[in-house]
Amino acid sequence: MTAFAYRNGALHAEGVSLVRLADRIGTPAYVYSNRALVERYRAFATAFAGLDALVCYSVKANSNLAVIATFARLGAGADVVSQGELFRARAAGVPANRIVFAGVGKTEAEMEAGLKARILQFNVESENELRLLARVASQLKRRAPVAMRINPDVDARTHAKISTGKSENKFGIEIPRARELARLAATLPGIDLQGLAVHIGSQLTSVEPFAAAFARMAELARELIAAGHGIRRLDMGGGLGIVYDRETPPDLASYARAVRDAVDGLPIQIVLEPGRYLVAEAGILLSRVIYMKEGTAKRFAIVDAAMNDLIRPALYDAYQPILPVARPRPGANLATVDVVGPVCETGDVIAPGRALPPLDDGDLIAIGGAGAYGAVMSSTYNTRPLAPEILVDGARYAVVRPRQDYAELIGRDRLAPWLKAPAAAKRKTKKKK
Ligand SMILES: *Cc1c(COP(=O)(O)O)cnc(C)c1O
């Protein structure tokens, strides 16, 4: 049973009517389904049953505390890529020994934070990072648990902006360099080389690139173990794709089989870092049509959600499904519209050229597949407040991030002293005399 379905003529999130939510909370608003989160997580974890596997939810896909906490309660760890995400993961109750810290540009402060928290592993992506981490750890009289992130030079066959495993991408260490760095790591007292990591991209829709990357990882692991390195963990990254439109991503079983096949016979722990797969379909962005607008060439639905709320269509040419909240009459004629936001950018498009049932001013729509890389990538461009986030569970819901108000939105700006009221400045000069 899907989390978002029509009941009595209106789209619901589980047992909660989206019409009612829009009335109570306003639009635009992100709405997440607890059941969808839990079902996705359980299915994912179950696919790796029997392996020594740790699922580290990739926090950057949706870092709302309530979402992280939902997974933490189910036993998940976290994959973080910044000190801020580490802070969030800890605040949401993820145990430090289930946290892996990835990312190409960890600063000294971030390393210190990870070491002090005693996280499970740093995924190191370059020689200079390895050397700095060794120094920071030694200063703290610690040994940093390290996995080397490998760049396996595999084409993930996904959008260029979310492909990370080719040699021309900034991510990871090429295999010949990894052999050298393993030897270097063994000489650094602050480093405990425990594993290898890989992550070749996001929204992968075929299993072959995964299988190729995992095979290269496992081969390198075997080689390093034979050379005496203490490799005991393989972090297989994230990247499993979902269906936004007509994609045919691998099913969980074949994805899990690619992992199992690669690590067969290796006495190691597996780490998995799913992000999008766990959250994308568990969220919608609820929005209202402000105006319908008939141009000579096109018909536009100008809605109150914009690129600042959901940037995926503008940034990745991403397809997001659009569902009218009022169930369309059977046999309703479809018409092609550009669903656009009110932001002053031609690129502020949510869904170009979409065939939709008739829409009117004031109608509600749900933008699907918005649980991943939605709210987390939002901004306040055009001084638009961050949209609220709502978590639904059965017939109840909770606002897990209220809508930002205008005072809060401008409240961190400061006038420079010379811009303060001239009268006040004069008074000060007088006092001095
Ligand atoms: C973004 C990211 C992930 C998650 O990717 P998804 O496509 O959302 O599953 C996992 N690991 C690392 C290192 C990442 O950067």
Side-chain angles (χ1 to χ4, degrees), residues 30 32 56-65 67-69 71 77-89 92 94 99-104 123 125 149 161-164 170-171 198-204 235-240 244 272-280 309-312 315-316 369-378 389 401:
Y30 278 96
Y32 308 133
C56 290
Y57 166 56
S58 187
V59 165
K60 77 175 191 286
N62 185 326
S63 61
N64 188 287
L65 281 195
V67 172
I68 305 174
F71 293 133
D79 156 42
V80 302
V81 294
S82 71
Q83 190 173 350
E85 285 190 355
L86 174 59
F87 187 64
R88 276 186 182 275
V94 181
I99 294 177
V100 299
F101 199 147
V104 284
N123 293 356
E125 305 212 13
R149 175 164 171 185
K161 285 205 168 84
I162 48 175
S163 178
T164 58
K170 69 180 175 184
F171 298 99
V198 76
H199 173 71
I200 57 173
S202 197
Q203 183 55 14
L204 270 70
D235 179 341
M236 302 307 209
L240 184 56
Y244 289 100
L272 300 147
E273 303 174 342
R276 187 190 310 271
Y277 184 83
L278 298 183
V279 292
D309 303 301
L310 179 67
I311 203 173
R312 296 189 65 254
L315 187 60
Y316 309 126
Y373 306 105
V376 280
M377 296 181 90
S378 60
E389 295 175 85
R401 186 175 74 186

Side-chain angles (χ1 to χ4, degrees), residues 40 85 89 92 104 143 171 184 233 255 305 339 358 381 391 400:
R40 272 291 165 117
E85 285 190 355
V104 284
R143 288 186 80 203
F171 298 99
L184 171 66
R233 201 176 302 117
Y255 174 71
V339 181
Y381 185 40
L391 182 59
V400 294

Side-chain angles (χ1 to χ4, degrees), residues 161-177:
K161 285 205 168 84
I162 48 175
S163 178
T164 58
K166 287 283 290 169
S167 55
E168 64 262 30
N169 299 134
K170 69 180 175 184
F171 298 99
I173 301 163
E174 289 165 80
I175 288 173
R177 288 286 290 141

Side-chain angles (χ1 to χ4, degrees), residues 121 153 197 316 394 397:
Q121 157 181 309
D153 195 20
Y316 309 126
Y397 69 86

Side-chain angles (χ1 to χ4, degrees), residues 100 121-125 146-154 164-165 171-176 178-179 182 193-201 208-226 229-238 255 258-273:
V100 299
Q121 157 181 309
F122 291 88
N123 293 356
V124 164
E125 305 212 13
V146 163
M148 278 193 294
R149 175 164 171 185
I150 304 305
N151 183 323
D153 195 20
V154 165
T164 58
F171 298 99
I173 301 163
E174 289 165 80
I175 288 173
R179 293 190 183 100
L193 180 61
Q194 303 185 341
L196 299 176
V198 76
H199 173 71
I200 57 173
E208 290 80 15
F210 283 124
F214 298 162
R216 282 179 203 179
M217 283 263 286
E219 190 190 351
L220 182 61
R222 288 193 171 87
E223 186 190 319
L224 293 179
I225 291 169
H229 296 285
I231 303 292
R232 49 196 182 273
R233 201 176 302 117
L234 285 187
D235 179 341
M236 302 307 209
Y255 174 71
V259 173
R260 287 176 196 274
D261 287 351
V263 303
D264 191 33
L266 272 171
I268 46 162
Q269 184 187 26
I270 306 298
V271 173
L272 300 147
E273 303 174 342

